[in-house]
Amino acid sequence: PATIVYDHPEKILTCSTMTGTHLAPKLRKLVDRTEHELFLVTPYFVPGENGVALLAGARQRGARVVVITNSLASTNSVSVHSGYRRYRRALLEAGVELYEIKPTATSQRRRSGRGWFGSKGAGRSSGASLHAKAFAFDRRIGFVGSYNLDPRSSRLNTEMGVVVDCPELVQRLPEETELDLAHTAYRVELDGR
């Protein structure tokens, strides 16, 4: 079964702290129920302190947490990457696996015939840029939509997507993405500071 989830249009007329019209709480419920693995693909990733706490909480429950986002070299928004960069250390210390897409990912993914990358990122003149927004919860429930894991999507934009409960389909996101992740993304790790 599939469910359409969305920000109610009245979201733009209400205070951003009044989340009754927001999509984010619906996705948070899925994160809270995740037991084994949370696999997140999002081009714009600025989790904020609450997002770091949410992902750290999933790790503390024993779930593997993987986030794939754009690198500085592949993003079309340096300001968003700058916002994300502030949270990398805390995420890594919590045990979150972080991957940042290489600007060369397109050519490698095109050869394999799979992937979540466009030939050119929106607003970019060359190189790969991640644009997909897809999440897998325990390789059973999936979300695909317009929602980025950043404050703009959470508080300002009106976003939408589809939530599906279909393990046969959803497990393909982590399985196929991880096949050549070592070639398409940088693994972010702590090395001293």
Side-chain angles (χ1 to χ4, degrees):
T3 304
I4 297 173
V5 291
Y6 55 90
D7 285 316
H8 193 279
E10 288 183 17
K11 173 184 177 181
I12 62 171
L13 301 174
T14 62
C15 176
S16 65
T17 59
M18 298 178 68
T19 60
T21 59
H22 295 201
L23 166 63
K26 296 169 189 161
L27 295 176
R28 183 182 178 123
K29 287 179 184 177
L30 294 172
V31 172
D32 289 341
R33 290 195 306 251
T34 300
E35 296 176 1
H36 307 290
E37 183 183 65
L38 179 58
F39 198 90
L40 307 169
V41 177
T42 180
Y44 303 136
F45 179 57
V46 184
E49 291 179 13
N50 290 338
V52 171
L54 179 68
L55 299 180
R59 284 290 302 131
Q60 289 171 353
R61 290 192 312 274
R64 176 183 183 217
V65 178
V66 178
V67 178
I68 301 172
T69 192
N70 279 312
S71 66
L72 179 59
S74 67
T75 190
N76 66 345
S77 179
V78 174
S79 62
V80 170
H81 191 273
S82 176
Y84 147 70
R85 188 173 174 270
R86 292 187 304 227
Y87 300 100
R88 286 193 296 197
R89 174 179 280 285
L91 290 162
L92 293 170
E93 288 174 346
V96 174
E97 296 176 39
L98 292 178
Y99 294 90
E100 297 179 3
I101 297 302
K102 296 177 181 179
T104 57
T106 300
S107 61
Q108 292 165 350
R109 295 298 279 183
R110 190 178 302 131
R111 284 196 300 268
S112 70
R114 300 179 309 272
W116 298 91
F117 315 99
S119 60
K120 297 186 188 300
R124 292 183 52 82
S125 59
S126 64
S129 183
L130 181 64
H131 194 68
K133 295 100 173 163
F135 314 147
F137 308 89
D138 287 334
R139 297 192 181 205
R140 176 184 175 84
I141 297 172
F143 168 84
V144 177
S146 64
Y147 184 81
N148 287 292
L149 295 172
D150 72 347
R152 184 169 190 86
S153 281
S154 294
R155 298 183 192 135
L156 299 174
N157 296 350
T158 51
E159 308 287 2
M160 64 178 295
V162 176
V163 173
V164 295
D165 185 345
C166 180
E168 298 81 19
L169 174 65
V170 174
Q171 68 189 7
R172 292 179 61 194
L173 171 64
E175 285 176 359
E176 293 186 13
T177 302
E178 287 183 310
L179 283 176
D180 59 355
L181 197 55
H183 302 292
T184 60
Y186 304 108
R187 169 85 187 253
V188 181
E189 297 179 333
L190 287 174
D191 183 13
R193 290 185 39 87

